[in-house]
Amino acid sequence: MKLATVAFYGFALGLLAVGLRELLTGFEENRCSMTYMFEYPEYRRVALPRRVARLYPAYGLYLYGEGMYAQETRALKLTGAPVLFLPGNAGSYKQARSLGSVALRKAENMEGGLHFNVFTVDFNEELVALYGGSLRRQTHFLHESIKAILRLYKHLKTPPQSVVLVGHSMGGVVARALYTLPRFNTNLVSLIITQASPHLAPVLALDPYLLDFYSAVRQKWVNQANKLRNVTVLSVGGGYRDYQVRSGLTSLPCPPGDPNKLSLVATAVPRTWVSTDHLSIVWCKELVLATVRAFFDLINPETRQFTENPEKKMSVLNHHFIRHPVRMLGETQDNSISILDFPEAWSEVNTLRLAYSTPKEGQVKYFMFALSSRRKAYSHFYCRNNNLEMTSWVYGCVHKNGSSCVHAVDLSMGTELLPPYKVLILSLSDLSSVTHLVVSASNLNGKQFTVECEWQRQESQTLSVPVPHVLSFGLTVSDVTVNSSGLLHTIKLQHFHQVYQAFRINVASQCKVHKDRLPNVYRINVPWFREDSITTVSVPSLHTAPNCQYKVSIRTSLPRVLGQILRFCGPMVPVYTAVTLLLACGGQLSFILKSRRAADMRQVVGKGLLPHKVNLPIYILHILLSYSWFQEVWSVLCLPLMDTLPPTTPDATFHEGEGAAEEWLQFLSPLLYIFGAAVAYWGSTLLRLIIRLVSLILAPLHRPCVSRDCGTLRPRTQLLITLCLTVTGGTSCGALSIFAAFLLHLYRVLRLQMAERSLSHMLNLAPQKHKEVENGSVDLNKPKECNGAPLLSECALQEVRDDLQLHLCLSALFTLPVMLIAPSLIHWIRNLRYSTQLDPDPCWPHIVPVIIVYMLLINCNTLKLSNSKLLPLTSCLPLPFAIAMVTFSPLHLYRVTYFLTAALVPMALCCLL
């Protein structure tokens, strides 16, 4: 059984390791180009009013500069357009250098001295993604910083009235939180651009302040959407490389009809087309260039400041971030265009496809396609080219004279830029007034390029293939053969609607590639979100070549499935780890109740995996909550909402019924429970090993002890320490007091380990009776009274071992609250020079019971527990608390501490009663 348990948890740990490896490393290499400073960067501190400096001593406001610009702005006499950068979780204000440097370099080529003043806020690199107590303070300081920035421009005739905010990570959430302030003037911010900001929900909810902050921001932007309709917000996610903030969390929670809110992923940004990790999104040159280009196009030439026109702002953002039409912003063409009549330059195309490469000599060339004979048979006209510099290249002929067109309208505005070429797809149903299509292939400057066009019937060039089941483990393959010779094919993946689904797609071609053929593109389109990913290849792909056959094979990828599960449901693993350890303590109490002895820690932790007892009641609760009468009972009891897994689809329109949701829950919950149990099993094993090693190191510093009372505290000392820790927690940091109590209990475990080792070594020299124990002829697991036994005896050794196993279980359980409160302790330590008290303190509501429980359990032993009248009831409580923990804690991780404390209070009482 022991070997089977080790093998099972070893296999579970292996699956978890595969998923973590896929999550952390299972993506393409970073294709972002680095941004470099051409001159030494300088950060000029901006003086703030004394009141602000006194209220926020840890924060600061800086102006970025380089070289001559830094010298010119020493006196802070500024004339540019203000941009304010907001760092995120543990972010530095110096991260603004990429945006500031690129903006300076580009301003050197602008006429009239147009430029930007890039400011940056120093938030003291606070861990606001894990400790939410500082978010409100950062929001108020940001408000003061914006007012201070605008005061620097009072000397101008037309000073700026607003500031553009660029927020990275949690900085973007803080930027949106400005509108929750009662005295904030919404006109002070004209545009917000966020980078990898988790707008929908925090990545980890480790304290209630974080969730309260998110709730306030969401309510403001959703309930008052009409008042904030003119506020333009652009959210850019990093994509698959960003394992810290997945793309779905970067979506803006706003009404679907709001035209001034955009959410997208960097892979879909034109001229960027790369996925970024959580940090590189700040310095990724491709994305920084897109941002700076948008800034310059947003400038009003009359005021030389950012435009206040919402339509203009959205037009610019759509141009640079959504669909680049391959022409300068604002460049317009007359609807009617006259094309010179050069009979020798015109060629009418009667075939279904055109493939043309221009000669080295410059010439005028037009290709004309008749629409009359194609309207019934085809639905679209597809055309692409590379190296063609003209922005207008496809026209609709309105008046034809002989073999040439003399009057046409420009149809090129729908052109889309892709990495190797630009593409235009025209729907024939929208061209009722056009008789012919004209493609301009003129190269008057002698520059060579290639044009490929064809008529398309999208129904025949769209294929569907069902994806393999996720439990096929890659053993089965779904494939489809593309026999058409079209330039573009669409393959729809059926039944691809669960976030844990992941596949490997292989495209095999059988054809000869023409040497003049354009590069090819794979484009994975995500219908519910702007998350398209584009890959350029040098062999025929879904942008196909003539006379080719393609076989597309789809196979489930188990490592990527595991990675997706951890990406979306990772916060549930620590919850199930806590459940396993709590049930292990419950099993330990039951074993003590039956045999008056403690079981081996590995044994009880191994038996902490009880999905039939934990998950089954939760499934029943989900079913009952679908009935209105049970919902009323639930609300009468004032119970909070159940914390459920993430939605089965990114958009509600893609739901396929309740069956899909049930499959999601039934499939993932036991697997996540196994992952959590594996972490608990091997984590407790590692803890036991560490305690053995540390006890060996500390043994020479302590006198030998052979009693089960080693490391205990006298009642008066216990009371004094409890009072001191409570006062310390209330006046400085609650996490510090809890951590100190944890260390005191850990010292008790170390002393028990030393006593167990000392007794074992001493009894090795004892007579035959002890050797019989070692040989197994005497069963120490049988109940046996040891009252009056000698200090050096088998009973004394067994008592110490029992207490050691009990406290090892408790120590493993105590480790979880310490890990959950660690961010607030780190924040307090880093801000000690500004304040000795953590305000607000997420530990304060439960610091008193936690410290009392920790201190009481230090003196606990198996004898006291076995003699307690409360033990039968106490041994039954861990299971309902474990069920409650899974029900209410996945989205509120800080509640884990509440449930663990509630479960340990009866156990502490057992040591007294």
Side-chain angles (χ1 to χ4, degrees), residues 683-753:
S684 59
T685 302
L686 179 62
L687 176 64
R688 183 174 184 176
L689 177 61
I690 293 174
I691 287 176
R692 286 184 176 181
L693 294 176
V694 175
S695 66
L696 277 174
I697 298 173
L698 297 181
L701 304 178
H702 295 80
R703 295 176 61 184
C705 178
V706 292
S707 170
R708 72 188 315 172
D709 295 327
C710 292
T712 57
L713 300 173
R714 295 178 181 179
R716 184 174 297 179
T717 305
Q718 194 176 38
L719 178 60
L720 181 61
I721 294 177
T722 302
L723 291 176
C724 290
L725 291 180
T726 303
V727 172
T728 302
T731 57
S732 58
C733 176
L736 177 65
S737 297
I738 295 176
F739 183 66
F742 168 76
L743 291 180
L744 288 172
H745 181 268
L746 191 64
Y747 179 74
R748 160 75 161 146
V749 181
L750 291 171
R751 292 304 305 272
L752 283 171
Q753 183 67 60

Side-chain angles (χ1 to χ4, degrees), residues 34-284:
M34 176 65 76
T35 51
Y36 295 98
M37 285 83 252
F38 292 90
E39 297 176 280
Y40 188 79
E42 295 185 27
Y43 302 88
R44 179 76 52 198
R45 191 175 184 107
V46 178
L48 298 172
R50 291 183 179 180
R51 176 186 62 85
V52 177
R54 186 177 63 255
L55 287 174
Y56 312 102
Y59 300 158
L61 177 64
Y62 295 85
L63 172 67
Y64 178 83
E66 294 179 17
M68 288 300 299
Y69 169 77
Q71 300 297 324
E72 294 170 356
T73 56
R74 281 187 179 276
L76 295 178
K77 297 294 183 180
L78 309 178
T79 58
V83 177
L84 179 56
F85 175 81
L86 310 176
N89 178 57
S92 170
Y93 66 96
K94 295 183 179 180
Q95 289 176 303
R97 60 182 177 268
S98 297
L99 179 65
S101 181
V102 172
L104 284 176
R105 297 284 80 79
K106 191 169 179 62
E108 294 176 352
N109 302 323
M110 302 299 295
E111 297 180 358
L114 184 65
H115 66 282
F116 301 102
N117 302 128
V118 178
F119 297 85
T120 178
V121 173
D122 179 13
F123 283 140
N124 197 30
E125 301 184 13
E126 293 176 335
L127 299 173
V128 286
L130 305 177
Y131 169 69
S134 293
L135 287 170
R136 182 59 60 181
R137 188 182 301 112
Q138 288 189 1
T139 306
H140 283 283
F141 181 77
L142 174 60
H143 185 200
E144 298 294 340
S145 297
I146 292 173
K147 292 189 291 185
I149 289 172
L150 294 178
R151 283 196 294 267
L152 298 177
Y153 296 86
K154 285 187 175 181
H155 63 282
L156 298 180
K157 292 183 179 179
T158 56
Q161 303 299 316
S162 62
V163 177
V164 169
L165 302 182
V166 179
H168 171 240
S169 186
M170 291 300 294
V173 182
V174 171
R176 292 177 59 243
L178 275 172
Y179 296 86
T180 64
L181 300 180
R183 297 183 179 180
F184 177 70
N185 182 1
T186 58
N187 295 324
L188 295 181
V189 175
S190 60
L191 170 66
I192 300 175
I193 296 180
T194 67
Q195 301 169 336
S197 298
H199 294 293
L200 278 182
V203 178
L204 293 174
L206 296 184
D207 64 58
Y209 306 118
L210 193 61
L211 289 175
D212 292 344
F213 184 82
Y214 266 86
S215 178
V217 175
R218 175 187 288 272
Q219 289 180 8
K220 183 67 176 182
W221 284 83
V222 173
N223 297 340
Q224 301 186 19
N226 292 332
K227 293 182 180 179
L228 302 177
R229 198 173 184 85
N230 290 333
V231 181
T232 305
V233 184
L234 170 66
S235 174
V236 183
Y240 196 69
R241 281 186 58 86
D242 191 349
Y243 58 84
Q244 297 184 45
V245 179
R246 55 183 175 87
S247 299
L249 292 179
T250 63
S251 177
L252 291 168
C254 58
D258 195 333
N260 295 323
K261 311 298 184 294
L262 289 177
S263 302
L264 49 90
V265 177
T267 55
V269 176
R271 304 171 75 175
T272 301
W273 299 306
V274 295
S275 178
T276 68
D277 57 53
H278 196 63
L279 293 179
S280 66
I281 195 171
V282 176
W283 53 257
C284 182

Side-chain angles (χ1 to χ4, degrees), residues 546-606:
N547 304 317
C548 291
Q549 185 182 70
Y550 300 86
K551 184 177 181 180
V552 181
S553 303
I554 304 170
R555 189 188 302 268
T556 297
S557 173
L558 180 60
R560 293 187 180 274
V561 168
L562 296 174
Q564 282 291 94
I565 292 174
L566 294 179
R567 184 185 299 272
F568 282 84
C569 306
M572 290 203 67
V573 175
V575 174
Y576 279 116
T577 300
V579 166
T580 304
L581 293 175
L582 181 58
L583 293 179
C585 284
Q588 190 71 275
L589 295 178
S590 299
F591 195 86
I592 294 173
L593 179 64
K594 294 178 181 178
S595 63
R596 303 178 66 85
R597 296 286 170 84
D600 184 83
M601 182 184 68
R602 289 175 297 181
Q603 178 183 347
V604 292
V605 174

